[in-house]
Amino acid sequence: MLGSAGSIGRQTVDVLARNPGLFRVVALATGSQGDILEEQARLLKPSVVSLAQGRSTRLDLPAATEFIGGSDALEALATRPDVDLVVVATGGLVALRSVLAALEAGKIVATANKETLVAGGHLVMPLVRRLAAGAVGATGDPHHPLASPLGWLRPIDSEHSAIWQCLVGEDHAAIDRLLLTASGGPFLSATVADLATVTPEQALRHPTWTMGAKITVDSATLANKGLEIIEARWLYDVPLPAISVVIHPQSVVHSAVQFVDGSVKAQLGTPDMRLPIQYALTYPERMASAAAPVDLIAAGRLEFSAPDEARFPALRIAREAGQAGPRASTALISADEVAVARFLGGSLDFNGIPRLLGAAVERFGTGKPVEPSLEQLVSLDAEVRQFAETYR
Ligand SMILES: NC(=O)c1ccc[n+]([C@@H]2O[C@H](COP(=O)([O-])OP(=O)(O)OC[C@H]3O[C@@H](n4cnc5c(N)ncnc54)[C@H](OP(=O)(O)O)[C@@H]3O)[C@@H](O)[C@H]2O)c1
């Protein structure tokens, strides 16, 4: 598991710890939170752990747990021969190189991280399709769970997990439209003037989900939904114009698929990430989970409306970046990481976030190549970040 001490990482540990007979945890890696890593190592007894920054040499680990460091640690862990499945719970592009290496090595990747696909979908998906085609060849069964690209690249993001669950047993040609639901965040009914004075504390108060700070602010600007549109385009091989966003403040319907016959299939659940995490780990099976079931009568009323792109322009900017290609969507995510950090640090106002995203996509999105290699992506990311740090 990459990013074990974060919000998704800790919830994944909870799922794993509740099912001790089902999974063996080989490796845990996190960024800087050594205390949490120590605690997780005591609980799950992995063979190896890694900490990117901080007090690596003084970690108090179980006797059988080895420590590895170095800049290629994530890649080394994700490609170990005793690893079957890699959970990606890091933010940004930290894990892109290791995701590519893991897929090259024939590992299943379960990812909460959307940035990897938003920037590197053109690098990731051919590997995933190759693995799925290999499984058809090896099993002779086109309905084998690993015969589908989604058997190899399993989404944890709740909306994408919902769509995946709706698609099980369906023919790709029967998809008419993907309907991504969005809570609308804490400022659903705020005016543009209200948005100008939003504080970090207000933006971090999500109405329905408890998540890491970056994604919570992205939910408030709707940039998160914009990234999810691009993520969905890669995962489900559906063109961007066939992906709609529907505001649904109760966060009970996690997303839906409309089919060519007009039917709509949706997945409903309580807002608890342990459910999509567990589904990605146990697919194609379902098991009892710690998430409370949806009580439709208690939920009472489920509302749906169209998003307002005039008040939340990040959604439009992301859609345009997705349409322009991976170079533009890399500019989008790299700028967004800096923009959110600057907003939280007080050097950018809330409406400055979409302004900065628009400026970065315009400046960096139109160059060549439209589909950068991994190394080109890494240097583009650095260039965009530098621009975003000093943007006024
Ligand atoms: N949170 C949610 O409910 C949710 C829902 C859907 C999708 N997602 C997506 O899932 C991803 C993670 O989100 P999150 O909210 O869990 O973020 P988070 O709480 O910020 O966690 C990110 C994790 O990555 C770790 N990390 C940073 N640099 C690393 C490195 N070089 N090597 C190994 N680990 C490193 C961090 O380590 P330290 O903490 O130790 O520094 C942290 O544990 C994001 O892409 C997000 O969009 C999250």
Side-chain angles (χ1 to χ4, degrees):
M1 190 194 326
L2 313 180
S4 66
S7 162
I8 291 291
R10 280 179 276 121
Q11 294 179 82
T12 307
V13 167
D14 185 77
V15 171
L16 295 167
R18 282 168 192 271
N19 297 285
L22 211 58
F23 305 103
R24 190 171 79 76
V25 178
V26 175
L28 296 174
T30 199
S32 57
Q33 301 194 73
D35 297 354
I36 295 183
L37 185 62
E38 284 174 341
E39 212 176 285
Q40 293 176 334
R42 277 195 292 275
L43 182 68
L44 298 172
K45 309 213 167 23
S47 305
V48 53
V49 297
S50 172
L51 188 71
Q53 317 140 21
R55 48 189 206 91
S56 50
T57 49
R58 286 179 283 120
L59 283 180
D60 181 12
L61 297 171
T65 302
E66 183 198 342
F67 174 87
I68 68 158
S71 58
D72 59 352
L74 296 187
E75 216 174 317
L77 298 183
T79 55
R80 280 173 62 109
D82 50 353
V83 164
D84 299 317
L85 182 150
V86 180
V87 175
V88 184
T90 44
L93 290 178
V94 170
L96 175 57
R97 192 180 293 277
S98 1
V99 166
L100 294 172
L103 291 168
E104 288 277 8
K107 314 295 184 191
I108 295 169
V109 172
T111 182
N113 175 286
K114 56 198 89 187
E115 294 89 337
T116 293
L117 271 175
V118 171
H122 60 296
L123 303 172
V124 171
M125 292 315 293
L127 297 175
V128 174
R129 285 192 208 104
R130 196 170 77 200
L131 286 166
V136 178
T139 63
D141 175 6
H143 303 296
H144 190 278
L146 294 179
S148 152
L150 288 160
W152 291 96
L153 186 66
R154 305 182 178 181
I156 287 178
D157 221 351
S158 60
E159 294 78 358
H160 302 76
S161 175
I163 291 171
W164 178 25
Q165 294 178 53
C166 293
L167 288 176
V168 170
E170 301 287 353
D171 191 345
H172 186 271
I175 302 172
D176 185 44
R177 175 162 293 280
L178 305 181
L179 305 169
L180 281 175
T181 53
S183 72
F187 312 124
L188 186 53
S189 45
T191 63
V192 175
D194 293 339
L195 292 176
T197 59
V198 160
T199 63
E201 199 195 3
Q202 292 168 322
L204 288 172
R205 229 177 281 136
H206 196 280
T208 50
W209 288 95
T210 308
M211 309 181 281
K214 159 76 170 47
I215 182 171
T216 305
V217 175
D218 280 346
S219 298
T221 59
L222 293 198
N224 181 52
K225 211 48 57 179
L227 301 184
E228 287 179 5
I229 295 175
I230 307 172
E231 181 185 10
R233 164 243 188 279
W234 287 111
L235 273 172
Y236 306 108
D237 195 17
V238 165
L240 287 164
I243 306 173
S244 301
V245 172
V246 179
I247 300 293
H248 167 47
Q250 291 80 14
S251 299
V252 171
V253 174
H254 291 320
S255 278
V257 180
Q258 184 175 309
F259 294 95
V260 286
D261 61 359
S263 285
V264 173
K265 259 169 98 172
Q267 187 260 344
L268 282 66
T270 42
D272 186 331
M273 287 305 294
R274 289 175 301 179
L275 205 153
I277 291 168
Q278 179 171 302
Y279 188 73
L281 296 178
T282 63
Y283 169 81
E285 286 170 30
R286 288 186 186 271
M287 291 185 342
S289 86
V294 176
D295 180 340
L296 284 179
I297 292 172
R301 194 185 175 101
L302 302 180
E303 295 157 306
F304 303 94
S305 60
D308 180 351
E309 292 190 4
R311 282 182 303 134
F312 298 100
L315 194 54
R316 173 185 49 77
I317 295 164
R319 195 181 275 285
E320 288 168 3
Q323 204 67 57
R327 195 181 161 81
S329 29
T330 302
L332 177 79
I333 55 165
S334 306
D336 187 45
E337 275 207 38
V338 176
V340 170
R342 284 189 53 189
F343 166 68
L344 293 175
S347 72
L348 192 69
D349 67 356
F350 187 77
N351 288 335
I353 300 175
R355 244 191 347 265
L356 170 44
L357 300 189
V361 170
E362 192 182 328
R363 181 172 174 131
F364 296 97
T366 51
K368 290 267 184 294
V370 173
E371 296 200 341
S373 66
L374 176 59
E375 301 316 325
Q376 287 166 329
L377 274 185
V378 171
S379 59
L380 177 62
D381 175 52
E383 234 183 298
V384 176
R385 281 167 181 278
Q386 200 175 18
F387 166 80
E389 292 289 358
T390 52
Y391 174 82
R392 292 275 166 261

